[in-house]
């Protein structure tokens, strides 16, 4: 399907989704959010795709947040609908059932930072800049930032970033846990692809089970989350990949997973 602001590429079992509005630093207007939603639905439903990379086109920005021109026009009802549209996208990403790697190649501000936080792993270039500067626009994060940020980094640090709107560089983002790896800008694409390729070789159902256990379990009581984990663990034991993984260990050979 043709998109105006989103670019979709496939390399084997890896789908790369790029936010493609570089003249506006990939600011997320409503159309971009709709196109991203359709793109993630397409990769979710594509059995061939095992791993997804989300990045920004143009080399300077991942996404510089919601489109402030559109934001400026919102009234109370419109603002709520605007936030709900972002929530639908971020929740879709979080529940995709396939690992999503955020390749943070530049600015990941506001909605951009929120999209990165809805991914499973964040790998950043050394020039990346992340933050939730909405406070400086007289508003608050509306795509899940007030909820995902304090679940990702210590609560006090989340409060600091949310209340001050302070923007952090890649090294600080790594130190506080907002990104998981930092590499040089030159190596970012290659390192992201290497990470994606390593995940393609993993057993697909177990990947899905980990994502579900961590994401859904994090919002449950420990007891309920343990029950969820036990059910998912049980389901992995019924897969051919689990039989293969354990047999390969016992036979001292490398496992070959088939996704069954
Ligand atoms: N919404 C709409 N347009 C945006 C945008 C956003 N969030 N972020 C950047 N742009 C546009 C700029 O208006 C400019 O467009 P123009 O060339 O038509 O004037 C273009 O992208 C380039 O941005 P510019 O500000 O000139 O680049 P810069 O390198 O000087 O600064 C930033 C980069 C990211 C620091 C700055 O653009 C910025 O602060 N953006 C807003 C970040 C933000 O508050 N995001 C949260 C929104 S809820």
């Amino acid at each position: 399907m043709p998109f105006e602001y989103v670019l979709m590429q496939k390399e084997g079992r890896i789908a790369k989704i790029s936010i493609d509005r570089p003249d506006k630093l990939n600011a997320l207007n409503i159309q971009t959010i709709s196109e991203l939603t359709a793109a993630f639905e397409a990769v979710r439903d594509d059995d061939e795709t095992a791993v997804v990379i989300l990045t920004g086109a143009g080399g300077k920005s991942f996404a510089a947040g919601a489109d402030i021109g559109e934001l400026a026009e919102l009234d109370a009802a419109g603002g709520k609908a605007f936030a709900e549209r972002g929530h639908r996208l971020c929740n879709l990403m979080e529940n995709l059932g396939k690992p999503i790697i955020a390749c943070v190649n530049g600015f990941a501000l506001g909605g951009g930072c929120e999209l990165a936080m809805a991914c499973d792993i964040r790998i950043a270039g050394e020039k990346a800049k992340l933050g939730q500067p909405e406070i400086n626009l007289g508003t608050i994060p509306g795509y899940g930032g007030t909820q995902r940020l304090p679940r990702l980094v210590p609560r006090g640090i989340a409060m600091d970033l949310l209340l001050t709107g302070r923007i952090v560089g890649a090294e600080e983002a790594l130190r506080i846990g907002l990104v998981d790896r930092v590499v040089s800008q030159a190596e970012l694409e290659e390192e992201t692809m290497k990470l994606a390729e390593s995940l393609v070789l993993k057993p697909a159902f177990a990947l899905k089970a980990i994502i579900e256990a961590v994401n859904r379990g994090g919002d449950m009581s420990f007891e309920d989350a343990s029950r969820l984990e036990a059910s998912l663990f049980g389901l992995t034991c019924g897969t051919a990949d689990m039989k293969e993984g354990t047999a390969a260990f016992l036979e001292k050979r490398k496992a070959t997973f088939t996704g069954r």
Side-chain angles (χ1 to χ4, degrees):
M1 80 206 74
F3 292 133
E4 189 175 355
Y5 298 130
V6 168
L7 188 66
M8 279 183 80
Q9 292 158 298
K10 256 183 88 170
E11 204 166 299
R13 305 202 61 202
I14 301 166
K16 184 173 169 189
I17 299 177
S18 303
I19 305 163
D20 188 16
R21 213 185 159 210
D23 56 323
K24 297 289 177 194
L25 299 181
N26 302 325
L28 303 163
N29 60 1
I30 290 172
Q31 188 179 333
T32 306
I33 294 291
S34 301
E35 291 183 4
L36 281 171
T37 304
F40 276 102
E41 281 169 352
V43 295
R44 177 197 59 196
D45 297 341
D46 175 21
D47 289 340
E48 238 189 37
T49 295
V51 178
V52 185
I53 295 170
L54 176 65
T55 193
K60 192 176 167 190
S61 183
F62 179 79
D67 188 301
I68 298 173
E70 286 185 355
L71 208 62
E73 301 298 320
L74 293 175
D75 59 12
K80 184 162 179 277
F82 185 90
E84 286 166 349
R85 206 176 289 116
H87 289 163
R88 271 195 298 279
L89 169 59
C90 290
N91 294 341
L92 165 70
M93 291 167 63
E94 206 168 70
N95 297 309
L96 202 75
K98 302 174 185 186
I100 310 175
I101 304 168
C103 172
V104 184
N105 53 338
F107 293 112
L109 304 177
C113 189
E114 289 168 300
L115 283 187
M117 288 193 288
C119 296
D120 298 298
I121 305 177
R122 283 152 292 282
I123 177 164
E126 62 199 342
K127 292 200 175 135
K129 294 208 180 305
L130 299 96
Q132 298 287 166
E134 289 87 344
I135 189 73
N136 298 323
L137 298 168
T139 184
I140 69 171
Y143 291 176
T146 62
Q147 301 310 306
R148 285 196 179 87
L149 188 58
R151 283 166 167 81
L152 198 57
V153 307
R155 186 185 162 91
I157 293 178
M159 280 294 191
D160 170 2
L161 297 183
L162 292 165
L163 295 176
T164 65
R166 192 164 70 79
I167 289 167
V168 299
E171 283 306 327
E172 183 174 355
L174 180 66
R175 184 162 48 77
I176 65 178
L178 182 51
V179 300
D180 309 301
R181 301 182 189 188
V182 175
V183 300
S184 71
Q185 290 295 126
E187 288 170 325
L188 180 59
E189 233 178 274
E190 192 187 330
E191 288 299 316
T192 305
M193 199 44 102
K194 265 197 225 161
L195 174 60
E197 280 162 358
S198 74
L199 292 175
V200 164
L201 299 178
K202 304 285 183 204
F205 184 80
L207 288 176
K208 183 174 191 256
I210 288 172
I211 292 169
E212 184 176 344
V214 172
N215 287 341
R216 278 190 54 215
D219 293 329
M220 293 176 175
S221 70
F222 196 86
E223 203 182 334
D224 287 346
S226 300
R227 243 180 250 128
L228 172 67
E229 184 189 73
S231 301
L232 292 167
F233 178 83
L235 290 175
T236 65
C237 294
T239 62
D241 278 346
M242 191 271 199
K243 301 300 170 209
E244 164 63 8
T246 49
F249 176 83
L250 296 171
E251 292 161 17
K252 300 192 186 307
R253 62 175 171 82
K254 206 171 173 305
T256 305
F257 297 114
T258 57
R260 280 181 285 120

